[in-house]
């Protein structure tokens, strides 16, 4: 995808003058990164901001006792690195490609200049950060109050297409976007807890699973079970701007 | 405290021209709120941004099954309401006074105008949001990987004064800032789990507790136990800018 078209897919770059878009394009670079490659470490100075064109990037930290805290797994049109714009200048996590990925990198200094000189861009950045914060608030709420099967159910519901949300149309089979161990990790569970949670979910909500494919027979039943311990009703306000 | 002095305590307002500070002061209002009073509900349009002069404000949501998700408990010089500046215009949570509190309110529209017209203020806002995001990332990491006693230990460590951090000076007695039920809630635990976690902590780290006062005999032992399942070493990078 050419750079202007890619930027158009990311709300951060909406509504800006051609001149500033040209400036970003001029300084942006395509970057291919192989599955398993590491893009940065927590203490690296954040020189670049990234937009994902395709693939999956895992943002994580290592704990002192050797566990992996997977803070986010970002995919197409997602971005990362913007939280190091001002204040602390390190990334704060490892970024590793979960699959072969194509990224666009823009130097953080170019973004800093744009924030200081283009009000619309500063507003877009604050909007993007506000939305991210609402997502994180939602995540904290779920970690606090949902049990493991409900967290897995919530994760599956977020993979369903908009067309299935009203429950009238059948939900197409859902494929896990990455391997089960990583899903478990992202949900703060051991693989064993994840397996038990899936079993509980099958028993309570009429889902069936073979390998990495899940059939959701009754989306309302899955939502009733999973969203019970959440302040959001299904479909989740966090996801309603989702493309289908 | 007069308004300019209060604003000077909040990094968001640092380094700004007198003119814009005067503008904020002109539109700011002191507000007293009684313990137990509710300031706003999740679906209320966010007309005001708040800075806490004294007291404690709990930000929370209700889940469908009647649990309370305590997303934050903010105190002196903390702020809330800024995440509704752009994007969604509702608060997204209830705000309730845990104690009698004094607040300063500034209309959100005044902040919006300032972001659009004063680059330095926009940069300050992005810096504040980046820092908050790092704190939330840390919180998510702890929910993912720390067990209940470690989470309680982390909470206690955050209450210790800087003077005790190197372990050479004795740590003064720590008083819980609000009641145990609310501490448990904030840590995503039932009161029963919180009690069990405290017992495990006493057994493993030489803390003693009577009523709401905790004696930390050996801060290094508490840190070794609690921070083991965290990527941060004690003292936590999130807290190193803390006033003493």
């Amino acid at each position: 995808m050419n750079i202007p078209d890619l930027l158009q897919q990311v709300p951060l770059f909406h509504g800006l003058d051609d001149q500033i878009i040209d400036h970003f394009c001029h300084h942006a670079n395509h970057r291919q990164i192989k599955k398993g490659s590491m893009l940065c470490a927590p203490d690296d100075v954040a020189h670049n901001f990234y937009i994902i064109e395709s693939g999956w990037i895992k943002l994580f930290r290592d704990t002192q006792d050797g566990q992996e805290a997977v803070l986010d797994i970002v995919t197409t049109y997602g971005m990362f690195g913007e939280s190091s714009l001002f204040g602390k200048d390190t990334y704060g996590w490892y970024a590793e490609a979960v699959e072969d990925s194509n990224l666009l990198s823009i130097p953080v200094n170019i973004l800093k200049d744009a924030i200081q000189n283009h009000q619309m861009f500063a507003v877009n950045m604050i909007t993007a950060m506000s939305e991210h914060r609402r997502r994180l608030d939602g995540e904290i709420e779920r970690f606090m109050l949902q049990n493991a099967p409900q967290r897995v159910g919530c994760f599956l519901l977020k993979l369903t297409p908009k067309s299935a949300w009203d429950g009238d149309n059948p939900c197409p089979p859902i494929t896990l976007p990455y391997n089960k161990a990583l899903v478990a990790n992202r949900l703060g569970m051991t693989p064993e807890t994840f397996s038990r949670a899936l079993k509980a979910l099958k028993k309570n909500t009429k889902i069936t699973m073979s390998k990495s494919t899940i059939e959701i027979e009754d989306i309302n039943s899955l939502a009733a079970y999973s969203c019970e311990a959440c302040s959001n009703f299904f479909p989740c306000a966090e996801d309603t701007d989702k493309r289908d």
Side-chain angles (χ1 to χ4, degrees), chain A:
Chain A
M1 192 184 284
N2 69 44
I3 299 176
D5 287 348
L6 178 54
L7 295 186
Q8 264 318 306
Q9 298 295 330
V10 182
L12 179 62
F13 298 94
H14 287 181
L16 303 178
D17 292 345
D18 289 347
Q19 192 198 344
I20 165 100
I21 291 287
D22 288 348
H23 184 65
F24 286 135
C25 291
H26 180 72
H27 290 279
N29 286 300
H30 285 290
R31 186 153 173 191
Q32 287 187 315
I33 171 164
K34 284 276 166 207
K35 177 176 177 169
S37 298
M38 207 71 91
L39 206 60
C40 65
D43 292 333
D44 288 353
V45 172
H47 291 299
N48 286 301
F49 161 82
Y50 295 96
I51 297 164
I52 304 184
E53 198 174 337
S54 66
W56 290 90
I57 303 289
K58 172 174 78 165
L59 308 181
F60 71 103
R61 296 181 191 153
D62 276 336
T63 64
Q64 295 182 44
D65 61 358
Q67 299 179 83
E68 205 173 86
V70 180
L71 295 172
D72 211 345
I73 301 177
V74 194
T75 190
T76 310
Y77 307 141
M79 56 192 199
F80 55 96
E82 79 282 12
S83 62
S84 318
L85 273 169
F86 300 103
K88 294 222 169 60
D89 65 351
T90 52
Y91 286 107
W93 22 251
Y94 296 95
E96 183 190 326
V98 176
E99 300 294 341
D100 290 353
S101 301
N102 288 293
L103 308 177
L104 193 75
S105 76
I106 302 177
V108 158
N109 282 338
I110 298 294
L111 259 69
K112 276 189 187 175
D113 287 347
I115 286 168
Q116 285 165 330
N117 295 304
H118 299 269
Q119 289 150 8
M120 184 70 194
F121 188 66
V123 167
N124 282 1
M125 183 58 81
I126 292 171
T127 308
M129 295 181 95
S130 297
E131 278 166 13
H132 192 83
R133 176 160 164 187
R134 283 181 189 252
R135 275 199 299 280
L136 293 185
D137 279 346
E139 208 166 303
I140 287 173
E141 184 193 318
R142 291 189 290 273
F143 272 116
M144 277 183 171
L145 296 178
Q146 284 186 330
N147 61 31
Q150 287 169 329
R151 288 219 298 287
V152 174
C154 173
F155 181 85
L156 296 180
L157 286 169
K158 287 184 184 303
L159 298 174
T160 58
K162 231 175 194 169
S163 59
W165 286 356
D166 60 8
D168 292 339
N169 302 310
C171 185
I174 301 298
T175 307
L176 292 182
Y178 28 81
N179 70 55
K180 282 186 202 174
L182 185 53
V183 176
N185 212 331
R186 176 74 186 105
L187 296 173
M189 298 174 197
T190 60
E192 296 73 30
T193 305
F194 181 68
S195 291
R196 281 196 301 274
L198 261 180
K199 268 188 204 154
L201 211 55
K202 279 183 206 167
K203 192 176 147 200
N204 288 293
T205 72
K206 299 194 221 166
I207 66 160
T208 53
M209 183 158 185
S210 67
K211 292 191 176 163
S212 290
T213 304
I214 293 127
E215 301 270 358
I216 299 173
E217 196 186 312
D218 179 357
I219 201 165
N220 291 325
S221 154
L222 182 61
Y225 178 83
S226 309
C227 307
E228 188 192 27
C230 184
S231 64
N232 278 315
F233 287 83
F234 181 78
C236 196
E238 291 168 32
D239 303 322
T240 44
D241 58 347
K242 176 171 162 174
R243 285 174 197 80
D244 208 350

